[in-house]
Amino acid sequence: MFPALLGNGMHCPYCYRSFRAKEIRFRCSGRVGTKKRCETKLDRVLADQMGDHDPQYPVFDGDGRKSTAVHDACRAETHYRVCPRCHSQLPVQFGQIDSKLIALVGAKDSGKTVYMTVLLHELMNDVGARIRASVLGADASTNTRFENVYQHVLYEKHELYRATRTASAEKGGRRPLVFNLTIGGRNKVRSTLLSFYDTAGEDMNNERSIDQNVRYMTSADGIVLLLDPLQMRGARPHADADALLPKLVSAEDSPSAVLANIIKQLQGSTSVKAGKRIDKPIAVAFTKMDALQGSLPPGSPWHRTPPDSAVYNEPDSLEVHRHMQALLHEWAGRNLDETLANSFTRYRLFGLSALGESPRLEGEDTQRVSDRGVQPHRVEDPFLWLMSEFGAIRKTTKPAGE
């Protein structure tokens, strides 16, 4: 989301505002110094920007390029560095390791929250083992919310989430989940900060809503756009008989409308010159592909298990891309494909299933995971492609098995 190493181009992983390294401020540690101990009180900046009203120790100026500073008021040393714009505490190695913002966007009911939860769960388990990676929350709030809110609902209660509230409906805005991804190599390890901001579908369906997410979108190094093929009139008739079909969304929530709004916002906010493409990689992933697998040809590359390798397999990815491209044209989505090609310098199509099979409806509005549990298929593909584009993981051009 933000290359943290660029001195004039740092972006906070929580509020996505930019600043220079020396502008980073410090928060008093609360320890006893040579003077009177500081007291906690409401941090109005943190409360207004992030909705955090818990009492905090004072924030003070210092040289943010250094790892520590001494608070003049109490003469105690602190290593707590905070964003000068929102006063969120920055991760320990911020400014010393790569930081990438993955903007996760999509239309209403496209499965963004489920996808994010399953992706992170896989990175912490099977996929992480495959690419020799570990994932840890960068702050206590991320650890607590991911475990108690996201994983608990899906993996323990076996329920799908209620609709995500819009950013405007949450006082102070929505706080991102920030993780430290560490990938092991032969001679060294590489750490990357990842910041995920779970937008509501309504945040992407009109200009006023999108404006509230401008910082998030424009600060992003890469975008994962989730589209529900069951919302495409050309794909919907091909759904399996036992698939749980969502209600058709309005025209303003359609895949093409969401893409058009994203492109318009990026072109306006990043000053893309007329006739030029947006230089930001976008992974366009069609979710809920399990509901359509009965209509896929037996040799479909989507059915394959991704290569069991620590490197990203480009030939396998391109095969899936071309297959999804052909399906998209069959689903009367040729215009969507052409729009992507004409608007972005780099885009890749993916198909995935976060759950493995359609959920079942319980009562009027509760959707539950299948009794067989969460069985994801290719959820990691869009993320790993972006990470390979960033150079965070290695890429191979050799077909799987060679």
Side-chain angles (χ1 to χ4, degrees), residues 106-255:
K108 183 179 180 182
D109 296 331
S110 58
K112 294 177 301 300
T113 306
V114 170
Y115 171 75
M116 181 185 72
T117 305
V118 174
L119 171 64
L120 287 165
H121 181 86
E122 290 298 298
L123 287 173
M124 293 175 181
N125 294 280
D126 292 347
V127 174
R130 191 177 95 210
I131 64 173
R132 290 178 287 187
S134 62
V135 180
L136 295 173
D139 58 82
S141 173
T142 290
N143 284 325
T144 300
R145 284 187 298 141
F146 184 69
E147 180 65 33
N148 297 341
V149 178
Y150 292 91
Q151 283 203 124
H152 175 71
V153 171
L154 193 63
Y155 286 90
E156 294 181 32
K157 295 181 67 178
H158 304 292
E159 292 181 2
L160 270 65
Y161 311 99
R162 306 286 181 176
T164 302
R165 297 179 66 191
T166 62
S168 59
E170 295 197 21
K171 189 173 182 180
R174 189 178 302 112
R175 191 174 183 86
L177 296 173
V178 182
F179 296 89
N180 192 333
L181 171 72
T182 303
I183 301 177
R186 291 180 180 178
N187 302 315
K188 63 178 181 179
V189 297
R190 175 165 185 163
S191 293
T192 303
L193 282 176
L194 303 172
S195 180
F196 290 92
Y197 181 72
D198 187 14
T199 62
E202 291 86 346
D203 288 333
M204 288 294 145
N205 68 8
N206 60 63
E207 290 187 48
R208 182 177 178 182
S209 295
I210 292 178
D211 282 344
Q212 298 170 356
N213 291 270
V214 172
R215 291 198 310 274
Y216 173 54
M217 292 290 296
T218 56
S219 298
D221 290 294
I223 298 170
V224 175
L225 171 60
L226 299 184
L227 300 177
D228 182 358
L230 300 179
Q231 294 292 350
M232 301 183 69
R233 297 186 184 276
R236 195 177 175 95
H238 297 290
D240 297 343
D242 59 349
L244 182 63
L245 294 178
K247 294 180 181 178
L248 282 172
V249 296
S250 62
E252 66 180 8
D253 280 317
S254 69

Side-chain angles (χ1 to χ4, degrees), residues 18 49 124 248 307 355:
S18 63
Q49 297 296 321
M124 293 175 181
L248 282 172
L355 298 177

Side-chain angles (χ1 to χ4, degrees), residues 125-132 304-313 316 378 380-381 384 394 396 398-402:
N125 294 280
D126 292 347
V127 174
R130 191 177 95 210
I131 64 173
R132 290 178 287 187
R304 290 198 305 249
T305 300
D308 186 15
S309 171
V311 299
Y312 187 71
N313 192 283
D316 174 74
R378 287 193 172 270
E380 69 273 24
D381 287 4
L384 294 183
R394 291 191 300 119
T396 181
K398 294 182 179 180
E402 289 190 8

